[in-house]
Amino acid sequence: MTGRAGARPVRASWWAAVLAVLALFVLAGCGSDDSSPAEPSGPSGVALPDDFPTDQIPLIGGAVLSAGGSADEGWNLTVQGPADTTAALDSAVKTLTDGGFREVQRTTDGGNQVVVVTATKVGKTYTVEVGSVSGAAGGPNSVFYQVSAS
């Protein structure tokens, strides 16, 4: 496991648990019978939660494979990046940093990668964990987002 200089040490078991839960979201998104159209402001695929802050959280282009959560508990999404994207996680992080987020941590463990970014927008602090899981059911271009607001 590697961490960014100056970042707080992170226990590998905690990250393994986070990645396992998020991998379940990836698996849940595949084979879904949900044929609901996407929110007009979000990528295509399943609909984003009604209260998802689309104006504050820029997502990588592509189909939303799964989406859930709420403002009270946080949101979770899995997005299938475009087929021509060779580094979907890097593209997702760049989309967030271009949108005003600051990278605060980057962790790699056994091929699984998680990047944490944060920004304050419209009086709320948003923390986004965006990552990729090697061998994800959504394919090599799928990324997951775990978003919280405070």
Side-chain angles (χ1 to χ4, degrees):
M1 181 168 79
T2 61
R4 189 164 203 205
R8 290 180 280 158
V10 178
R11 292 189 354 225
S13 61
W14 185 85
W15 280 111
V18 168
L19 292 172
V21 168
L22 294 171
L24 290 174
F25 286 116
V26 171
L27 293 173
C30 297
S32 172
D33 292 319
D34 189 348
S35 59
S36 304
E39 299 257 327
S41 57
S44 62
V46 301
L48 295 171
D50 290 339
D51 62 352
F52 185 79
T54 54
D55 292 338
Q56 286 76 36
I57 311 295
L59 303 175
I60 188 174
V64 177
L65 300 177
S66 66
S70 68
D72 291 337
E73 61 188 35
W75 301 273
N76 56 71
L77 314 169
T78 302
V79 178
Q80 176 68 53
D84 61 350
T85 300
T86 58
L89 177 61
D90 291 337
S91 294
V93 171
K94 182 173 178 359
T95 299
L96 287 160
T97 56
D98 287 352
F101 282 80
R102 179 179 58 87
E103 184 176 324
V104 294
Q105 185 171 355
R106 184 176 288 256
T107 305
T108 301
D109 186 19
N112 302 322
Q113 300 176 30
V114 176
V115 179
V116 180
V117 297
T118 187
T120 300
K121 297 182 173 198
V122 193
K124 291 186 179 183
T125 299
Y126 292 94
T127 301
V128 180
E129 295 176 34
V130 60
S132 64
V133 177
S134 62
N141 286 347
S142 63
V143 293
F144 62 81
Y145 295 81
Q146 183 69 39
V147 180
S148 61
S150 57

